Amino acid sequence: MNVDDLRNALAHRREYGWSVPGLDAVSAEDGHVVIRVEVTLDLVNAAKTLHGGAAATLIDIVDTLAIITADEHNRFGVSTDLNVSWFAPIPLGDHAIVDARVLKTGRSLAFVTADIRRASDDTLCVQGRMTKALGPVPS
């Protein structure tokens, strides 16, 4: 998957069962995907910063895209666990940069990590790790 393929996947995101508006492809290569998204009113909490649930959703989505780039069968799998740590806020109007890297893929599991940074100053704001069950290899 290259960045154009990633842009196409983001344009047809509803087909994958998720929808977060405003996701913009920055880069895509085998096992590594970077997405940029503006923190809008749809993504904030009462304090007008990136909502924790929105951050977890971004990690799940971008980690999944990274897995698709790494898996020779383009399987996206099913999340089996998701661990998220929050370090700093991203305010309304700033951008979040989600950088996901596949740590390992195997026959049935994939392990991924993602950092979410505040675009205005490159501060690490959220970090997540996820495991996905990939399911059977298509025949």
Side-chain angles (χ1 to χ4, degrees):
M1 178 183 286
N2 61 36
V3 73
D4 290 330
D5 295 332
L6 179 57
R7 285 190 180 113
N8 186 49
L10 293 173
H12 297 94
R13 64 189 177 271
R14 290 185 193 278
E15 296 171 21
Y16 295 100
W18 48 266
S19 180
V20 172
L23 298 179
D24 183 34
V26 174
S27 66
E29 55 190 62
D30 289 347
H32 183 206
V33 169
V34 180
I35 298 289
R36 179 181 172 98
V37 63
E38 182 178 357
V39 178
T40 63
L41 284 173
D42 291 330
L43 301 178
V44 298
N45 56 25
K48 300 285 193 260
T49 62
L50 181 64
H51 188 283
T57 299
L58 289 169
I59 289 169
D60 193 332
I61 290 168
V62 182
D63 278 2
T64 299
L65 291 168
I67 290 168
I68 292 169
T69 70
D71 183 64
E72 66 181 297
H73 305 288
N74 301 115
R75 295 174 292 173
F76 49 85
V78 176
S79 301
T80 61
D81 68 50
L82 176 64
N83 176 283
V84 183
S85 298
W86 291 268
F87 307 116
I90 304 177
L92 177 67
D94 206 337
H95 285 80
I97 307 297
V98 187
D99 186 335
R101 292 181 186 272
V102 173
L103 301 171
K104 181 183 186 308
T105 58
R107 192 175 55 219
S108 61
L109 292 174
F111 304 89
V112 194
T113 187
D115 290 342
I116 300 180
R117 294 185 172 277
R118 194 168 45 218
S120 61
D121 61 5
D122 200 38
T123 296
L124 178 62
C125 297
V126 184
Q127 192 169 61
R129 285 191 56 161
M130 182 172 69
T131 305
K132 282 208 159 206
L134 295 176
V137 173
S139 48

